[in-house]
Amino acid sequence: MSIARPKAVRMLAAIFAISVIATGCSSDRDNGDSKGSGSTGTFVFGAAGDPASLDPSLASDGESFRITRQVFETLIDHKSGTSEMEGGLADTWESNDAGTEWTFNLRDGVTFHDGSDLTGEVVCANFDRWYNWTGTYQNTTLSYYWQTIFGGFANNENEETPDPNYVGCTAPDDLTAVIEVAEPSANYPGGFSLAAFGIHSGPALEAYAADEASGEGDAITFPGYSQEAGTVVGSGPFRATGWNKGNGEVTLERFDDYWGDKAGVEKLVFQTIPEESARRQALQSGDIHGYDLVAPADVKTLSDAGFQVPTRDVFNIFYLAFTQDSHPALENPEVRTAVAHALDRQNLVDSQLPEGGVVATQFMPDTVEGYSQNVTTYDYDPELAQQLLADSGEEDLTFTFCYPTEVTRPYMPSPADLYELLRADLEAVGITVQPKALKWNPDYTEVTRDGGCNLYLLGWTGDFNDGYNFLGTWFAGYQKEWGFENQDLFDLLERASTEPDVDARTALYEEANEFVMDFLPGVPISSSPPSIAFSADVNPPTVSPLTQEKFSEASFK
């Protein structure tokens, strides 16, 4: 790997050098204040995985967004601890009757970490940058959320890239940005709240242009500016000042010119500790002040010992996915149905997931409007599974089964243990499983998204409270990770996406859930409430059903 500093890094380093010299401190947290005291301490949080990028527009995973949400702000935000939308960088917003023109009235007095101002032109520059991406940036590894919410680019370079829905952005005055889209969509306005669309400063955007991403397929190299702290520039309550990849440590420092309430701690460190047991031990020994994705078996132990262990509301789905065009047998509905009946999902929920976890009947939790009570269900029935395989003529099947390592997710507390249960179920009905364990970032996300596994484990925590954020994310069109074409399903979700009446749209989501569970592109396994733990000496941030905690709320008692 090259050690040459990217141009953007060199250009922006000077800006941040000023602040580092002024404070006389480094990103090293072993400076005697790691236990914290009042507002002067360092709050250390144990993360389950490394971030992929410090530029959120290039990321699609929760560990990256947990960090970047503290640095970047979006036009629309969510009220702390809820899925209810509220103003972010925009005080207010509205659309025209057709839902194709969105006007954002920006907050006055917002400055970025480099001292530049938030204006309508800066907002437009961000959206225009994403729309005009070329080359490697058009790979879904780097532009997943842009393509999911706004479609393709000004000049699509791949026939599989969707048509663009973004038309353009204008700034009629300093504090207004108007974004036009070609077609209305259920993704709006919720999509404007996604961390991927955090707004960068104007000078930072100019500096980023000096770096390029490279590679293709599952061998993507992120642009240099996104891999080194001190280059990305947002307007959030913290600024990124250190990323020690060797130690798995990202350091953020309080931004004292923040327009809103100042952060409760001066320094915030995200320390990657992949194993849950190691995170628990680090909390118990006082090395960290909190961590996410507490193992169900540890909740009572920690609570009894005086730790704070709040539980989020259920807003996720864990599933087994089929990549249909990766194996001819997976294109056979009888085989997919056999796999569904082979899995003892209740046992998995009872033995591996936290209290409150339930077997999922569809690709949406029952807390989202559009959940259907009338979907086809698939009870655990290994004898039926064997009969279906025999009837299909596919009795000697071998599937590559991928699962992630060095990570836990809100819907998937222990991937290896979950994999082992499901593998045993499949082998019990005569399916040969070839395990393929991959590190979460970047290998697993890239390989699965590129269609590189027959079967794989994944899940989703909703970004905002609309059924399309679940169903549309996966099934609105062809995606390599699912590997199927089903125009009837695509058309049904298109109707749902463009339906302006909320009740009618909800009915279409119910219909889509029933359609999906008949077609069975994968097997929804569970929904569960993830827990998060904090030491007794801190005031933790309000926990969010969207896992979007605002760490600026954290402080020491």
Side-chain angles (χ1 to χ4, degrees):
M1 185 177 195
S2 170
I3 59 174
R5 288 164 63 84
K7 294 178 182 177
V9 173
R10 295 197 299 268
M11 293 174 68
L12 286 168
I15 298 173
F16 284 88
I18 296 171
S19 60
V20 170
I21 292 170
T23 57
C25 63
S26 70
S27 61
D28 179 7
R29 65 183 169 93
D30 296 324
N31 56 5
D33 65 355
S34 63
K35 288 291 185 180
S37 175
S39 64
T40 62
T42 298
F43 189 103
V44 185
F45 189 81
D50 293 325
S53 166
L54 294 183
D55 178 351
S57 64
L58 305 177
S60 59
D61 66 290
E63 295 305 333
S64 295
F65 292 148
R66 190 200 306 278
I67 295 169
T68 63
R69 277 194 187 93
Q70 321 309 321
V71 178
F72 294 91
E73 296 178 291
T74 48
L75 293 172
I76 298 175
D77 200 353
H78 288 100
K79 190 172 292 185
S80 183
T82 78
S83 60
E84 180 184 347
M85 287 190 289
E86 66 174 6
L89 288 178
D91 264 326
T92 60
W93 67 92
E94 60 184 357
S95 75
N96 61 1
D97 291 341
T100 56
E101 188 175 282
W102 291 87
T103 300
F104 296 92
N105 303 301
L106 306 179
R107 292 184 187 278
D108 195 5
V110 174
T111 58
F112 291 94
H113 302 160
D114 58 8
S116 62
D117 293 331
L118 171 72
T119 65
E121 287 188 354
V122 170
V123 171
C124 289
N126 276 266
F127 280 85
D128 287 345
R129 170 184 177 240
W130 300 322
Y131 176 55
N132 285 287
W133 267 337
T134 60
T136 303
Y137 286 108
Q138 294 196 8
N139 188 296
T140 54
T141 297
L142 297 185
S143 53
Y144 173 79
Y145 270 109
W146 175 264
Q147 295 191 47
T148 299
I149 303 299
F150 293 102
F153 305 92
N155 294 292
N156 283 350
E157 299 174 11
N158 189 316
E159 62 181 14
E160 295 176 354
T161 303
D163 292 334
N165 200 39
Y166 178 84
V167 173
C169 178
T170 56
D173 57 57
D174 280 351
L175 293 178
T176 306
V178 181
I179 294 174
E180 184 181 356
V181 294
E183 300 287 344
S185 169
N187 279 325
Y188 316 127
F192 294 107
S193 72
L194 295 182
F197 304 126
I199 301 300
H200 303 246
S201 80
L205 293 180
E206 294 176 8
Y208 298 166
D211 286 337
E212 290 290 339
S214 61
E216 58 184 20
D218 59 1
I220 299 293
T221 298
F222 283 71
Y225 78 85
S226 72
Q227 301 297 300
E228 185 170 342
T231 57
V232 295
V233 182
S235 60
F238 290 98
R239 57 194 181 92
T241 56
W243 187 359
N244 186 330
K245 291 190 175 182
N247 291 339
E249 194 172 282
V250 175
T251 300
L252 311 182
E253 294 184 12
R254 184 167 62 200
F255 177 43
D256 287 328
D257 291 330
Y258 183 58
W259 61 269
D261 293 337
K262 306 297 185 291
V265 295
E266 285 187 349
K267 190 180 290 186
L268 175 61
V269 173
F270 291 96
Q271 173 71 61
T272 300
I273 307 174
E275 299 298 327
E276 192 278 337
S277 60
R279 293 198 297 276
R280 172 178 48 77
Q281 291 166 8
L283 180 68
Q284 291 170 320
S285 65
D287 290 336
I288 62 176
H289 300 102
Y291 76 93
D292 203 354
L293 311 178
V294 178
D298 291 336
V299 171
K300 187 174 187 305
T301 300
L302 290 172
S303 298
D304 290 348
F307 293 95
Q308 306 174 77
V309 194
T311 299
R312 303 180 178 98
D313 293 338
V314 176
F315 206 64
N316 60 44
I317 285 289
F318 171 49
Y319 59 83
L320 170 75
F322 306 132
T323 305
Q324 291 190 27
D325 57 11
S326 73
H327 195 300
L330 290 173
E331 296 179 333
N332 186 333
E334 282 188 303
V335 171
R336 302 199 299 274
T337 303
V339 170
H341 283 297
L343 304 178
D344 189 352
R345 293 175 288 164
Q346 189 64 59
N347 176 54
L348 182 149
V349 168
D350 292 342
S351 62
Q352 298 292 323
L353 297 184
E355 186 175 352
V358 296
V359 172
T361 62
Q362 53 207 283
F363 284 85
M364 178 187 291
D366 63 5
T367 50
V368 178
E369 294 289 332
Y371 181 89
S372 173
Q373 301 290 344
N374 300 310
V375 298
T376 300
T377 56
Y378 301 87
D379 294 336
Y380 174 54
D381 191 337
E383 293 183 358
L384 177 57
Q386 289 176 307
Q387 185 60 54
L388 287 166
L389 290 173
D391 293 344
S392 72
E394 301 281 3
E395 294 176 277
D396 298 315
L397 282 173
T398 297
F399 289 135
T400 301
F401 190 164
C402 298
Y403 66 96
T405 63
E406 301 183 37
V407 73
T408 52
R409 306 303 309 137
Y411 45 79
M412 186 167 54
S414 178
D417 293 342
L418 299 170
Y419 159 78
E420 284 298 334
L421 285 177
L422 299 174
R423 175 196 60 76
D425 287 342
L426 294 174
E427 292 184 343
V429 301
I431 295 174
T432 300
V433 173
Q434 293 181 337
K436 189 173 183 178
L438 296 165
K439 184 180 179 182
W440 175 254
N441 246 335
D443 301 340
Y444 191 77
T445 53
E446 292 180 3
V447 169
T448 55
R449 190 159 289 156
D450 206 41
C453 307
N454 299 146
L455 313 177
Y456 61 93
L457 300 178
L458 207 55
W460 183 262
T461 299
D463 295 306
F464 51 88
N465 195 354
D466 189 286
Y468 197 77
N469 187 240
F470 287 86
L471 297 175
T473 296
W474 299 306
F475 308 131
Y478 175 84
Q479 296 190 48
K480 288 183 178 179
E481 60 191 283
W482 297 98
F484 70 82
E485 296 276 3
N486 189 322
Q487 197 57 51
D488 290 340
L489 176 57
F490 300 161
D491 289 345
L492 176 56
L493 285 172
E494 173 69 15
R495 287 168 53 205
S497 175
T498 55
E499 173 55 60
D501 182 83
V502 174
D503 291 339
R505 186 191 302 170
T506 298
L508 288 169
Y509 289 152
E510 293 176 3
E511 182 180 346
N513 273 315
E514 293 156 18
F515 189 109
V516 167
M517 290 312 298
D518 287 337
F519 178 57
L520 207 61
V523 183
I525 295 175
S526 60
S527 294
S528 59
S531 296
I532 186 169
F534 296 95
S535 57
D537 62 336
V538 303
N539 300 304
T542 304
V543 297
S544 162
L546 309 173
T547 65
Q548 297 179 6
E549 284 76 28
K550 300 175 180 179
F551 280 81
S552 60
E553 297 175 347
S555 62
F556 292 98
K557 292 180 177 176

